[in-house]
Amino acid sequence: MHDSYLIDGYNLIHALGMIQHKMAPGGLEESRRRLLAFLGASFGDGASSVTVIFDAKHAPRGVSRRQEHHGLQIHFAPSQQSADDMIEALIDEEAEPRALVVISNDTRLQNAARRRGARAWSHEALLDFLDTRAKPPAAPIDEKGTAAVSPEEMQRWVKEFAWLESDPELKEFFDMDRFE
């Protein structure tokens, strides 16, 4: 069972500071594009499990209410419904609520998620999650407290630094016989 993510789009745009109070024409569309590019890149191959919901009153003209962008599922709420209403409906319709993560700082949506057994994340929790995904896993530590290295990795490093063995300055420096 893979997690799926419901994101309150404009709520996240505001929280990430991707929007200004006084915008030039096209500023809201640019903010949406920046958010979607950020999420698409951050989720990578898992982007198809992410649904971003925006209020329809800010939807671009001539654009489908449901679309895909950078692998993400994008929904504009119907004009008579807010993004929050649509997110709540999607939470209620979810067949596997335990695999659902609702991302919003809106208390109403967090409570709706928890009532159904879904997880509710703040924007900070999302950023922490994405930061953890971006970092390569740490090497396991052996009983001596040193990072364990696979035989393949060891061979790669031996090959990479093989030239050091024939360096005359290093040979002289590491010549232990001279200290006896």
Side-chain angles (χ1 to χ4, degrees):
M1 169 170 54
H2 291 96
D3 288 338
S4 59
Y5 303 87
L6 280 179
I7 298 177
D8 186 347
Y10 289 128
N11 191 270
L12 184 56
I13 283 176
H14 284 285
L16 295 178
M18 292 183 166
I19 197 165
Q20 293 78 36
H21 291 290
K22 294 183 180 183
M23 284 188 293
L28 189 57
E29 274 186 61
E30 177 58 28
S31 295
R32 270 195 308 268
R33 265 194 299 277
R34 287 177 52 212
L35 175 69
L36 297 175
F38 166 73
L39 291 171
S42 297
F43 277 95
D45 292 342
S48 63
S49 66
V50 178
T51 303
V52 183
I53 296 93
F54 293 106
D55 286 306
K57 63 183 176 184
H58 301 297
R61 291 178 186 244
V63 171
S64 172
R65 291 202 174 280
R66 292 178 187 244
Q67 52 189 279
E68 185 180 315
H69 188 72
H70 292 289
L72 306 161
Q73 305 307 306
I74 312 304
H75 296 262
F76 287 95
S79 56
Q80 70 278 8
Q81 189 181 41
S82 71
D84 290 359
D85 294 337
M86 185 174 187
I87 292 169
E88 258 192 295
L90 291 170
I91 293 168
D92 289 341
E93 295 167 6
E94 179 60 45
E96 296 285 339
R98 292 196 193 295
L100 180 64
V101 180
V102 177
I103 299 148
S104 177
N105 281 1
D106 187 313
T107 305
R108 169 186 165 192
L109 295 178
Q110 290 178 349
N111 289 336
R114 289 184 187 111
R115 274 194 306 274
R116 283 278 289 143
R119 286 166 283 162
W121 285 1
S122 67
H123 302 124
E124 294 80 12
L126 171 65
L127 294 176
D128 289 345
F129 168 75
L130 294 175
D131 188 45
T132 302
R133 282 177 54 108
K135 292 180 182 172
I141 305 298
D142 66 15
E143 60 278 350
K144 295 177 189 171
T146 57
V149 179
S150 70
E152 295 82 16
E153 182 75 0
M154 180 63 78
Q155 276 301 81
R156 187 175 78 78
W157 285 112
V158 167
K159 192 175 182 180
E160 178 77 23
F161 293 102
W163 64 272
L164 290 173
E165 196 170 40
S166 60
D167 186 306
E169 288 181 21
L170 286 175
K171 275 191 173 197
E172 182 181 326
F173 181 75
F174 287 106
D175 182 10
M176 297 307 234
D177 293 335
R178 69 183 178 151
F179 295 111
E180 292 180 0

